[in-house]
């Protein structure tokens, strides 16, 4: 490569590189997230089940002592299941959001050649689709989970609410990993683009022929 020479890369190539980088990042991150999910699920089961010594007998409800609530062991099991469901839902939502975002960014860039208005319409519609899809995905799984758990709990709302809280914990935990992991990933790519690209290879800043630049843009799509 000649020093200081800029090579033009078609926009479709750049979009493909960004999508590949984003997909590669998510699959790598989810491998480590899966280990955390299993380990944390075991901890939830052990801590909640040991409250009453892994008892399988009915106990008095905390807020209504006239009623008998479900055993602590089964509440621990359902809380663990809801945590895993929340984590899986968050992972799927993150993957779907990444797919929508990468396609939408490429289309918005191409439409920007015709004017800011057309690019804004594409970006706004894709953002609306992604937002409603992810919110609906989470609410749908939550609704199904509550109705399935209610078959066992019946009128024991206290036990049902305690078991279903694991769903939010699982979803927020996976979202936290995606955010923090993405920031670390972006910073490493940013440093690599500066050191290797500009310093060693004399590639202009934000040039798409630099792989680290595509990784940096992938992070922006993933977590912004």
């Amino acid at each position: 490569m000649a020093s200081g020479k800029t090579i033009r890369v078609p926009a479709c190539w750049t979009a493909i590189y960004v999508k590949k980088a984003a997909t590669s990042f998510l699959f790598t991150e989810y491998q480590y997230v899966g280990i955390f999910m299993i380990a944390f699920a075991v901890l939830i089961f052990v801590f909640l089940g040991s409250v009453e010594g892994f008892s399988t007998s009915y106990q008095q409800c905390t807020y209504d002592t006239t009623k008998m609530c479900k055993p602590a062991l089964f509440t621990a099991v359902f809380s663990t299941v809801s945590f895993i469901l929340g984590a899986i839902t968050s992972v799927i939502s993150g993957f779907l959001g990444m797919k929508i975002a990468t396609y939408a960014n490429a289309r918005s860039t191409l439409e920007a050649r015709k004017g800011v208005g057309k690019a804004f319409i594409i970006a706004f519609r894709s953002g609306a689709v992604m937002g409603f899809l992810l919110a609906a995905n989470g609410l749908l799984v939550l609704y199904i989970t509550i109705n399935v758990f209610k078959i066992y709990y019946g009128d024991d709302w206290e036990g049902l609410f305690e078991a279903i809280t694991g769903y939010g914990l699982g979803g927020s935990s996976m979202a936290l990993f995606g955010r923090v992991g993405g920031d670390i990933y972006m910073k490493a790519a940013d440093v690599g683009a500066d050191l290797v690209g500009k310093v060693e290879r004399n590639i202009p800043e934000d040039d798409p022929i630099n792989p680290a630049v595509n990784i940096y843009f992938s992070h922006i799509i993933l977590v912004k």
Side-chain angles (χ1 to χ4, degrees):
M1 180 185 300
S3 177
K5 184 179 180 180
T6 302
I7 300 178
R8 298 295 180 182
V9 178
C12 59
W13 292 8
T14 304
I16 293 173
Y17 296 152
V18 170
K19 284 188 287 186
K20 286 183 177 180
T23 304
S24 176
F25 163 74
L26 283 182
F27 276 112
T28 303
E29 183 185 42
Y30 287 163
Q31 292 177 4
Y32 295 95
V33 165
I35 298 174
F36 164 81
M37 181 174 63
I38 295 174
F40 206 74
V42 172
L43 289 177
I44 290 175
F45 173 76
V46 172
F47 287 156
L48 293 181
S50 61
V51 172
E52 298 293 336
F54 296 97
S55 174
T56 57
S57 59
Y58 286 77
Q59 54 188 344
Q60 281 188 340
C61 297
T62 304
Y63 298 101
D64 189 355
T65 56
T66 61
K67 294 182 179 180
M68 299 298 292
C69 290
K70 302 297 182 181
L73 179 63
F74 293 103
T75 299
V77 171
F78 281 102
S79 297
T80 304
V81 171
S82 64
F83 169 80
I84 295 175
L85 287 175
I88 294 176
T89 303
S90 180
V91 167
I92 294 175
S93 298
F95 183 79
L96 292 176
M98 181 273 296
K99 285 294 185 182
I100 295 173
T102 50
Y103 281 113
N105 275 268
R107 290 192 61 187
S108 298
T109 302
L110 295 176
E111 290 295 326
R113 299 176 177 177
K114 304 175 184 177
V116 178
K118 293 187 177 181
F120 174 79
I121 291 175
I122 296 295
F124 184 82
R125 288 178 178 175
S126 59
V129 169
M130 182 170 61
F132 282 116
L133 173 64
L134 303 188
N137 185 29
L139 289 175
L140 176 63
V141 177
L142 178 61
Y143 174 78
I144 295 174
T145 304
I146 290 176
N147 282 274
V148 171
F149 284 11
K150 199 173 184 302
I151 296 175
Y152 170 76
Y153 281 99
D155 294 332
D156 183 9
W157 293 101
E158 180 179 330
L160 176 62
F161 289 155
E162 182 178 349
I164 209 65
T165 52
Y167 183 84
L169 178 62
S172 59
S173 299
M174 299 303 107
L176 176 64
F177 264 89
R179 181 71 187 185
V180 176
D183 286 333
I184 297 174
Y185 181 75
M186 180 274 294
K187 183 53 63 178
D190 191 23
V191 173
D194 290 338
L195 295 180
V196 179
K198 292 193 294 185
V199 177
E200 294 186 7
R201 296 297 181 181
N202 197 24
I203 302 176
E205 188 174 3
D206 294 339
D207 196 310
I209 65 173
N210 190 341
V213 173
N214 295 306
I215 296 174
Y216 178 80
F217 289 149
S218 301
H219 160 265
I220 295 176
I221 292 173
L222 284 169
V223 300
K224 302 299 182 185

